Amino acid sequence: MDQLSTTLSALADPTRRAIIARLAAGEATVNELAAPFDMSLPAVSKHLKVLERAGLISRGRNAQWRPCRLEARPMKEIADWIEPYRRFWDASFDRLESYLQDIQGKESDQG
């Protein structure tokens, strides 16, 4: 599987996206990452392994703790891939705005 597909697959799960959002605020232990979820630590560890294999997180070693940290580089590939679609939507909204202004102008002239 290519890196983009691996990254998108890892981010397809809402729990993993929530973990990524939490790590954007800074490093956290597995217990800290597991706290908001109603699931076992082994289940959270499985999510972390998926994120780690996708290169989205790394785990350090600090005495007995293994804090997790965000590795955002793989998300740059997603941003690059989605950029043409963002431009498509921006252009579509610009055309819609122009059309709506034309309609409002015509209604003002008639009213």
Side-chain angles (χ1 to χ4, degrees):
M1 185 182 299
D2 63 278
Q3 181 60 46
L4 179 61
S5 298
T6 300
T7 305
L8 289 170
S9 178
L11 294 174
D13 184 275
T15 300
R16 293 194 285 267
R17 289 194 305 272
I19 289 170
I20 291 292
R22 165 57 186 87
L23 290 175
E27 291 184 355
T29 64
V30 174
N31 285 335
E32 291 169 334
L33 292 170
F37 304 107
D38 186 24
M39 64 177 64
S40 67
L41 282 177
V44 171
S45 289
K46 284 183 181 178
H47 284 295
L48 294 175
K49 285 178 184 170
V50 171
L51 292 170
E52 195 169 20
R53 278 195 301 269
L56 290 163
I57 68 167
S58 62
R59 296 190 206 196
R61 182 164 298 279
N62 184 2
Q64 64 192 37
W65 305 103
R66 294 196 67 205
C68 297
R69 75 177 56 89
L70 177 64
E71 300 291 344
R73 178 183 285 183
M75 287 191 264
K76 170 81 168 78
E77 190 176 357
I78 293 173
D80 292 345
W81 176 76
I82 210 160
E83 177 60 22
Y85 303 102
R86 188 190 63 75
R87 280 188 258 129
F88 167 81
W89 282 109
D90 285 348
S92 296
F93 286 128
D94 288 347
R95 286 193 304 273
L96 177 62
E97 182 179 8
S98 176
Y99 175 72
L100 292 174
Q101 286 174 347
D102 285 348
I103 289 175
Q104 288 174 339
K106 289 177 184 173
E107 288 176 355
S108 295
D109 292 344
Q110 294 174 352

PDB file of all heavy atoms in Angstrom, residues 10-36:
ATOM      1  N   ALA A  10      -5.338   4.980   8.071  1.00  0.00           N
ATOM      2  CA  ALA A  10      -5.142   5.171   9.517  1.00  0.00           C
ATOM      3  C   ALA A  10      -6.076   6.254  10.052  1.00  0.00           C
ATOM      4  O   ALA A  10      -6.589   6.148  11.163  1.00  0.00           O
ATOM      5  CB  ALA A  10      -3.690   5.528   9.812  1.00  0.00           C
ATOM      6  N   LEU A  11      -6.316   7.286   9.270  1.00  0.00           N
ATOM      7  CA  LEU A  11      -7.150   8.405   9.715  1.00  0.00           C
ATOM      8  C   LEU A  11      -8.635   8.162   9.484  1.00  0.00           C
ATOM      9  O   LEU A  11      -9.463   9.000   9.857  1.00  0.00           O
ATOM     10  CB  LEU A  11      -6.714   9.693   9.019  1.00  0.00           C
ATOM     11  CG  LEU A  11      -5.313  10.184   9.396  1.00  0.00           C
ATOM     12  CD1 LEU A  11      -4.925  11.383   8.545  1.00  0.00           C
ATOM     13  CD2 LEU A  11      -5.232  10.519  10.875  1.00  0.00           C
ATOM     14  N   ALA A  12      -8.993   7.031   8.891  1.00  0.00           N
ATOM     15  CA  ALA A  12     -10.401   6.738   8.619  1.00  0.00           C
ATOM     16  C   ALA A  12     -11.178   6.465   9.906  1.00  0.00           C
ATOM     17  O   ALA A  12     -12.408   6.589   9.922  1.00  0.00           O
ATOM     18  CB  ALA A  12     -10.517   5.541   7.676  1.00  0.00           C
ATOM     19  N   ASP A  13     -10.489   6.116  10.967  1.00  0.00           N
ATOM     20  CA  ASP A  13     -11.157   5.781  12.221  1.00  0.00           C
ATOM     21  C   ASP A  13     -11.291   7.022  13.117  1.00  0.00           C
ATOM     22  O   ASP A  13     -10.297   7.714  13.354  1.00  0.00           O
ATOM     23  CB  ASP A  13     -10.329   4.707  12.948  1.00  0.00           C
ATOM     24  CG  ASP A  13     -11.021   4.247  14.205  1.00  0.00           C
ATOM     25  OD1 ASP A  13     -10.852   4.910  15.253  1.00  0.00           O
ATOM     26  OD2 ASP A  13     -11.757   3.244  14.131  1.00  0.00           O
ATOM     27  N   PRO A  14     -12.497   7.309  13.636  1.00  0.00           N
ATOM     28  CA  PRO A  14     -12.678   8.519  14.458  1.00  0.00           C
ATOM     29  C   PRO A  14     -11.861   8.514  15.749  1.00  0.00           C
ATOM     30  O   PRO A  14     -11.430   9.578  16.203  1.00  0.00           O
ATOM     31  CB  PRO A  14     -14.179   8.554  14.752  1.00  0.00           C
ATOM     32  CG  PRO A  14     -14.706   7.224  14.376  1.00  0.00           C
ATOM     33  CD  PRO A  14     -13.752   6.590  13.417  1.00  0.00           C
ATOM     34  N   THR A  15     -11.638   7.337  16.327  1.00  0.00           N
ATOM     35  CA  THR A  15     -10.817   7.284  17.542  1.00  0.00           C
ATOM     36  C   THR A  15      -9.392   7.721  17.229  1.00  0.00           C
ATOM     37  O   THR A  15      -8.774   8.502  17.970  1.00  0.00           O
ATOM     38  CB  THR A  15     -10.810   5.857  18.128  1.00  0.00           C
ATOM     39  OG1 THR A  15     -12.149   5.500  18.455  1.00  0.00           O
ATOM     40  CG2 THR A  15      -9.934   5.774  19.374  1.00  0.00           C
ATOM     41  N   ARG A  16      -8.864   7.241  16.109  1.00  0.00           N
ATOM     42  CA  ARG A  16      -7.491   7.611  15.740  1.00  0.00           C
ATOM     43  C   ARG A  16      -7.402   9.101  15.408  1.00  0.00           C
ATOM     44  O   ARG A  16      -6.412   9.763  15.731  1.00  0.00           O
ATOM     45  CB  ARG A  16      -6.996   6.738  14.595  1.00  0.00           C
ATOM     46  CG  ARG A  16      -6.829   5.273  15.038  1.00  0.00           C
ATOM     47  CD  ARG A  16      -6.039   4.452  14.052  1.00  0.00           C
ATOM     48  NE  ARG A  16      -6.762   4.090  12.871  1.00  0.00           N
ATOM     49  CZ  ARG A  16      -7.433   2.949  12.713  1.00  0.00           C
ATOM     50  NH1 ARG A  16      -7.473   2.053  13.675  1.00  0.00           N
ATOM     51  NH2 ARG A  16      -8.050   2.700  11.588  1.00  0.00           N
ATOM     52  N   ARG A  17      -8.444   9.645  14.772  1.00  0.00           N
ATOM     53  CA  ARG A  17      -8.430  11.095  14.502  1.00  0.00           C
ATOM     54  C   ARG A  17      -8.468  11.887  15.811  1.00  0.00           C
ATOM     55  O   ARG A  17      -7.797  12.916  15.940  1.00  0.00           O
ATOM     56  CB  ARG A  17      -9.602  11.490  13.604  1.00  0.00           C
ATOM     57  CG  ARG A  17      -9.433  11.005  12.170  1.00  0.00           C
ATOM     58  CD  ARG A  17     -10.418  11.679  11.231  1.00  0.00           C
ATOM     59  NE  ARG A  17     -11.805  11.546  11.631  1.00  0.00           N
ATOM     60  CZ  ARG A  17     -12.597  10.540  11.289  1.00  0.00           C
ATOM     61  NH1 ARG A  17     -12.150   9.568  10.524  1.00  0.00           N
ATOM     62  NH2 ARG A  17     -13.855  10.493  11.683  1.00  0.00           N
ATOM     63  N   ALA A  18      -9.227  11.406  16.797  1.00  0.00           N
ATOM     64  CA  ALA A  18      -9.280  12.088  18.098  1.00  0.00           C
ATOM     65  C   ALA A  18      -7.921  12.014  18.792  1.00  0.00           C
ATOM     66  O   ALA A  18      -7.490  12.990  19.424  1.00  0.00           O
ATOM     67  CB  ALA A  18     -10.369  11.464  18.971  1.00  0.00           C
ATOM     68  N   ILE A  19      -7.239  10.887  18.656  1.00  0.00           N
ATOM     69  CA  ILE A  19      -5.899  10.760  19.243  1.00  0.00           C
ATOM     70  C   ILE A  19      -4.943  11.752  18.578  1.00  0.00           C
ATOM     71  O   ILE A  19      -4.173  12.438  19.244  1.00  0.00           O
ATOM     72  CB  ILE A  19      -5.394   9.307  19.109  1.00  0.00           C
ATOM     73  CG1 ILE A  19      -6.188   8.397  20.051  1.00  0.00           C
ATOM     74  CG2 ILE A  19      -3.896   9.224  19.399  1.00  0.00           C
ATOM     75  CD1 ILE A  19      -5.936   6.911  19.839  1.00  0.00           C
ATOM     76  N   ILE A  20      -5.018  11.846  17.253  1.00  0.00           N
ATOM     77  CA  ILE A  20      -4.173  12.806  16.529  1.00  0.00           C
ATOM     78  C   ILE A  20      -4.477  14.233  16.990  1.00  0.00           C
ATOM     79  O   ILE A  20      -3.560  15.029  17.224  1.00  0.00           O
ATOM     80  CB  ILE A  20      -4.386  12.666  14.997  1.00  0.00           C
ATOM     81  CG1 ILE A  20      -3.824  11.347  14.491  1.00  0.00           C
ATOM     82  CG2 ILE A  20      -3.795  13.851  14.238  1.00  0.00           C
ATOM     83  CD1 ILE A  20      -2.320  11.229  14.544  1.00  0.00           C
ATOM     84  N   ALA A  21      -5.755  14.559  17.151  1.00  0.00           N
ATOM     85  CA  ALA A  21      -6.133  15.906  17.603  1.00  0.00           C
ATOM     86  C   ALA A  21      -5.570  16.171  19.001  1.00  0.00           C
ATOM     87  O   ALA A  21      -5.073  17.276  19.273  1.00  0.00           O
ATOM     88  CB  ALA A  21      -7.650  16.061  17.599  1.00  0.00           C
ATOM     89  N   ARG A  22      -5.630  15.179  19.861  1.00  0.00           N
ATOM     90  CA  ARG A  22      -5.082  15.356  21.214  1.00  0.00           C
ATOM     91  C   ARG A  22      -3.572  15.576  21.155  1.00  0.00           C
ATOM     92  O   ARG A  22      -3.022  16.435  21.857  1.00  0.00           O
ATOM     93  CB  ARG A  22      -5.423  14.140  22.086  1.00  0.00           C
ATOM     94  CG  ARG A  22      -4.655  14.004  23.385  1.00  0.00           C
ATOM     95  CD  ARG A  22      -4.790  15.227  24.292  1.00  0.00           C
ATOM     96  NE  ARG A  22      -3.930  15.129  25.459  1.00  0.00           N
ATOM     97  CZ  ARG A  22      -2.643  15.521  25.512  1.00  0.00           C
ATOM     98  NH1 ARG A  22      -2.058  16.030  24.436  1.00  0.00           N
ATOM     99  NH2 ARG A  22      -1.952  15.407  26.620  1.00  0.00           N
ATOM    100  N   LEU A  23      -2.876  14.807  20.312  1.00  0.00           N
ATOM    101  CA  LEU A  23      -1.421  14.922  20.230  1.00  0.00           C
ATOM    102  C   LEU A  23      -0.984  16.231  19.578  1.00  0.00           C
ATOM    103  O   LEU A  23       0.162  16.646  19.751  1.00  0.00           O
ATOM    104  CB  LEU A  23      -0.829  13.723  19.486  1.00  0.00           C
ATOM    105  CG  LEU A  23      -0.912  12.395  20.252  1.00  0.00           C
ATOM    106  CD1 LEU A  23      -0.421  11.245  19.381  1.00  0.00           C
ATOM    107  CD2 LEU A  23      -0.120  12.466  21.553  1.00  0.00           C
ATOM    108  N   ALA A  24      -1.867  16.886  18.842  1.00  0.00           N
ATOM    109  CA  ALA A  24      -1.533  18.193  18.274  1.00  0.00           C
ATOM    110  C   ALA A  24      -1.306  19.215  19.392  1.00  0.00           C
ATOM    111  O   ALA A  24      -0.623  20.221  19.189  1.00  0.00           O
ATOM    112  CB  ALA A  24      -2.627  18.667  17.326  1.00  0.00           C
ATOM    113  N   ALA A  25      -1.857  18.946  20.576  1.00  0.00           N
ATOM    114  CA  ALA A  25      -1.668  19.838  21.723  1.00  0.00           C
ATOM    115  C   ALA A  25      -0.396  19.520  22.490  1.00  0.00           C
ATOM    116  O   ALA A  25      -0.009  20.272  23.384  1.00  0.00           O
ATOM    117  CB  ALA A  25      -2.883  19.754  22.655  1.00  0.00           C
ATOM    118  N   GLY A  26       0.241  18.388  22.171  1.00  0.00           N
ATOM    119  CA  GLY A  26       1.485  18.031  22.852  1.00  0.00           C
ATOM    120  C   GLY A  26       1.556  16.551  23.159  1.00  0.00           C
ATOM    121  O   GLY A  26       0.594  15.816  22.967  1.00  0.00           O
ATOM    122  N   GLU A  27       2.733  16.124  23.614  1.00  0.00           N
ATOM    123  CA  GLU A  27       2.956  14.715  23.915  1.00  0.00           C
ATOM    124  C   GLU A  27       1.987  14.228  24.991  1.00  0.00           C
ATOM    125  O   GLU A  27       1.516  15.008  25.819  1.00  0.00           O
ATOM    126  CB  GLU A  27       4.380  14.501  24.430  1.00  0.00           C
ATOM    127  CG  GLU A  27       5.444  14.691  23.395  1.00  0.00           C
ATOM    128  CD  GLU A  27       6.832  14.374  23.952  1.00  0.00           C
ATOM    129  OE1 GLU A  27       6.979  14.107  25.149  1.00  0.00           O
ATOM    130  OE2 GLU A  27       7.770  14.397  23.144  1.00  0.00           O
ATOM    131  N   ALA A  28       1.718  12.929  24.951  1.00  0.00           N
ATOM    132  CA  ALA A  28       0.822  12.343  25.950  1.00  0.00           C
ATOM    133  C   ALA A  28       1.176  10.876  26.133  1.00  0.00           C
ATOM    134  O   ALA A  28       1.681  10.232  25.213  1.00  0.00           O
ATOM    135  CB  ALA A  28      -0.637  12.482  25.498  1.00  0.00           C
ATOM    136  N   THR A  29       0.895  10.371  27.315  1.00  0.00           N
ATOM    137  CA  THR A  29       1.097   8.942  27.579  1.00  0.00           C
ATOM    138  C   THR A  29      -0.115   8.171  27.058  1.00  0.00           C
ATOM    139  O   THR A  29      -1.164   8.759  26.742  1.00  0.00           O
ATOM    140  CB  THR A  29       1.234   8.680  29.086  1.00  0.00           C
ATOM    141  OG1 THR A  29      -0.004   9.029  29.719  1.00  0.00           O
ATOM    142  CG2 THR A  29       2.376   9.497  29.687  1.00  0.00           C
ATOM    143  N   VAL A  30       0.022   6.867  27.008  1.00  0.00           N
ATOM    144  CA  VAL A  30      -1.095   6.021  26.560  1.00  0.00           C
ATOM    145  C   VAL A  30      -2.283   6.200  27.496  1.00  0.00           C
ATOM    146  O   VAL A  30      -3.429   6.303  27.034  1.00  0.00           O
ATOM    147  CB  VAL A  30      -0.660   4.540  26.486  1.00  0.00           C
ATOM    148  CG1 VAL A  30      -1.857   3.655  26.174  1.00  0.00           C
ATOM    149  CG2 VAL A  30       0.427   4.359  25.447  1.00  0.00           C
ATOM    150  N   ASN A  31      -2.022   6.274  28.793  1.00  0.00           N
ATOM    151  CA  ASN A  31      -3.130   6.467  29.740  1.00  0.00           C
ATOM    152  C   ASN A  31      -3.847   7.791  29.501  1.00  0.00           C
ATOM    153  O   ASN A  31      -5.071   7.855  29.570  1.00  0.00           O
ATOM    154  CB  ASN A  31      -2.620   6.402  31.183  1.00  0.00           C
ATOM    155  CG  ASN A  31      -2.320   4.987  31.622  1.00  0.00           C
ATOM    156  OD1 ASN A  31      -2.884   4.033  31.088  1.00  0.00           O
ATOM    157  ND2 ASN A  31      -1.425   4.849  32.579  1.00  0.00           N
ATOM    158  N   GLU A  32      -3.087   8.835  29.233  1.00  0.00           N
ATOM    159  CA  GLU A  32      -3.708  10.136  28.956  1.00  0.00           C
ATOM    160  C   GLU A  32      -4.520  10.087  27.665  1.00  0.00           C
ATOM    161  O   GLU A  32      -5.605  10.667  27.579  1.00  0.00           O
ATOM    162  CB  GLU A  32      -2.640  11.224  28.852  1.00  0.00           C
ATOM    163  CG  GLU A  32      -1.973  11.547  30.178  1.00  0.00           C
ATOM    164  CD  GLU A  32      -0.743  12.421  30.040  1.00  0.00           C
ATOM    165  OE1 GLU A  32      -0.088  12.414  28.959  1.00  0.00           O
ATOM    166  OE2 GLU A  32      -0.412  13.099  31.031  1.00  0.00           O
ATOM    167  N   LEU A  33      -3.982   9.384  26.666  1.00  0.00           N
ATOM    168  CA  LEU A  33      -4.701   9.289  25.399  1.00  0.00           C
ATOM    169  C   LEU A  33      -5.952   8.433  25.533  1.00  0.00           C
ATOM    170  O   LEU A  33      -6.952   8.671  24.856  1.00  0.00           O
ATOM    171  CB  LEU A  33      -3.783   8.708  24.316  1.00  0.00           C
ATOM    172  CG  LEU A  33      -2.630   9.605  23.889  1.00  0.00           C
ATOM    173  CD1 LEU A  33      -1.665   8.838  22.993  1.00  0.00           C
ATOM    174  CD2 LEU A  33      -3.144  10.855  23.200  1.00  0.00           C
ATOM    175  N   ALA A  34      -5.908   7.445  26.422  1.00  0.00           N
ATOM    176  CA  ALA A  34      -7.042   6.529  26.587  1.00  0.00           C
ATOM    177  C   ALA A  34      -8.160   7.132  27.424  1.00  0.00           C
ATOM    178  O   ALA A  34      -9.317   6.702  27.312  1.00  0.00           O
ATOM    179  CB  ALA A  34      -6.558   5.237  27.225  1.00  0.00           C
ATOM    180  N   ALA A  35      -7.847   8.120  28.253  1.00  0.00           N
ATOM    181  CA  ALA A  35      -8.816   8.657  29.215  1.00  0.00           C
ATOM    182  C   ALA A  35     -10.176   9.036  28.624  1.00  0.00           C
ATOM    183  O   ALA A  35     -11.207   8.688  29.201  1.00  0.00           O
ATOM    184  CB  ALA A  35      -8.204   9.838  29.960  1.00  0.00           C
ATOM    185  N   PRO A  36     -10.243   9.715  27.482  1.00  0.00           N
ATOM    186  CA  PRO A  36     -11.567  10.131  26.990  1.00  0.00           C
ATOM    187  C   PRO A  36     -12.394   9.005  26.370  1.00  0.00           C
ATOM    188  O   PRO A  36     -13.569   9.203  26.076  1.00  0.00           O
ATOM    189  CB  PRO A  36     -11.259  11.182  25.912  1.00  0.00           C
ATOM    190  CG  PRO A  36      -9.791  11.291  25.813  1.00  0.00           C
ATOM    191  CD  PRO A  36      -9.182  10.256  26.680  1.00  0.00           C
TER     192      PRO A  36
END
